[in-house]
Amino acid sequence: MPCKNCLRKPVIALPNSNVKLCSGCFVKYFERKVFKTIAKYNMIKPGDRIGVAVSGGKDSFSLLYLLNKFADKHRKLSIVVVSIDEGIKGYRDLSNVENYCKENSIEYHAFSFKKEFGLTLDQMSKKVKMNPCSICGILRRFLLNSKARQLKLTKIATGHNLDDEAQSILMNQFRGNLERSARLGPVTGILSDRRFVRRIKPFYFLSEKEVATYSFIKKFPVPYNECPYSISSYRADVRDMLNDFTEKHPQTKHAVINSFLEVLPLLKKRYSESKIRGCKVCKEPTSGDVCTVCKLLESLK
Ligand code: SF4
Ligand code: ZN
Ligand code: ZN
């Protein structure tokens, strides 16, 4: 079947539909969908100073390209790139991000676990009996939030796509942690606490396959390899299960997202009362006395 719009050779069959598109029509469809999501959820306002979290992979690189394009059109908006080097040997390499920012005159800030916490993720994972992805997630969230405040960013944009979000929803469900799900959604956060910098996810309604196709067509200088730790994670198990199921029942991932969006306002309301205090050690926001980051750093001593 040729491209639905222009009858040229198709490059992709859109997930959850019978529509096939050629590369030119797909790029237009993809960009329209991103800008529509930004508008629908009021993600960006004039005067915003948006921090784009860029790891150098296909999702965040595509996001950087598109938000830079968006900022070029909207003069009252500025974007700043924030990258975090977790210290994963043979995997994390931020040189493509740094070069891109230089070439396009984009403000760039890089931080590393080694410099901020004294150890790389590789070293940490040998010291504590904890899944590397859990360590990585806790420390990355913490660094992004605290650095965003220091850099006076109004929001943080991440390259999370529909697959990532569907996995997170199911992971929280399987672990019985609905409070965590209340912090998901296209614009995150349950509290308007000044210590939390809101996160926006412009790729919320685009699948992993669509983002990978966009990045491939645009020839972004990104690696397509996987993090060595991803194989053994809880997320990887949920991802494989969800992919298998979606293979047989194509509407699955979209259904997970759409039904979640229906209950999200209720979840946000239910957990908006949770008390957020300041961590006794680092003063960062936490629901307990000591935050998970400080507990983790203590166990690494
Ligand atoms: Fe971090 Fe796990 Fe992602 Fe690797 S797969 S970057 S360890 S969260
Ligand atoms: Zn076409
Ligand atoms: Zn703390």
Side-chain angles (χ1 to χ4, degrees), residues 279 281-283 291 294:
C279 167
V281 184
C282 71
K283 311 279 180 278
C291 75
C294 288

Side-chain angles (χ1 to χ4, degrees), residues 1-11 20-25 28:
M1 210 203 306
C3 171
K4 176 186 160 257
N5 297 343
C6 69
L7 305 181
R8 284 200 190 95
K9 193 171 157 233
V11 291
K20 289 188 177 174
L21 294 177
C22 71
S23 60
C25 292
K28 277 189 208 141

Side-chain angles (χ1 to χ4, degrees), residues 31 34-35 38 44 50-52 54 59-81 97 99-108 157 200 202-203 214 220:
E31 297 185 354
V34 173
F35 296 137
I38 291 174
I44 297 175
I50 308 261
V52 192
V54 186
D59 303 85
S60 59
F61 214 99
S62 302
L63 181 67
L64 170 59
Y65 168 81
L66 278 171
L67 289 186
N68 194 33
K69 194 168 163 174
F70 194 78
D72 275 347
K73 279 194 205 150
H74 300 80
R75 294 279 165 209
K76 282 190 185 152
L77 170 74
S78 58
I79 65 161
V80 173
V81 168
V97 186
N99 291 339
Y100 186 85
C101 290
K102 255 189 215 152
E103 282 160 19
N104 291 279
S105 309
I106 303 170
E107 189 179 328
Y108 174 66
I200 56 170
F203 291 170
Y214 182 77
F220 292 136

